[in-house]
Amino acid sequence: MKKILSVCLAVMMCLSICTTAMAADRSTIIHPKGFIALSSGLPKVPGTTNQYNPWAGARAGLPEQISVGFTLYKVVNGQEIYVTSASNSDRAIYVEARNFVNLSSGTYKLYAYYTGETQSDGSVTTYVI
């Protein structure tokens, strides 16, 4: 008789725990946000005299809709003069924007940015050629 009561009590406890867990409010579930890393650069194209390859790329932890781009300016007497820009967007883990441009010596600023589903950010890097 004690064994039957013990089994019944155990079954009742399991049912009460399972029912409570199944009735949990979905709004209390924590959904982690993603992380996106932005990279950019202005490398010289090997074997050329003055051709450069400005780029910006954004890498996410999970696939999401990402837009990435850059704008390159030459700094002349304290003024920023537009040189080139590029952008790209896709639903992916990595999205990149690239371009090719001929540059003379001087100071350049590369403004890179991205916009994703989880976050957005940008950076400015100065290059002296």
Side-chain angles (χ1 to χ4, degrees), residues 65-109:
Q65 186 65 39
I66 302 171
S67 297
V68 66
F70 68 86
T71 304
L72 180 65
Y73 294 93
K74 183 172 186 177
V75 180
V76 179
N77 297 325
Q79 299 288 332
E80 294 180 359
I81 299 170
Y82 173 83
V83 176
T84 190
S85 62
S87 63
N88 192 11
S89 64
D90 195 4
R91 179 165 187 80
I93 291 176
Y94 183 73
V95 179
E96 185 176 83
R98 288 187 170 272
N99 204 347
F100 289 96
V101 65
N102 291 321
L103 300 177
S104 58
S105 60
T107 301
Y108 293 85
K109 284 192 176 182

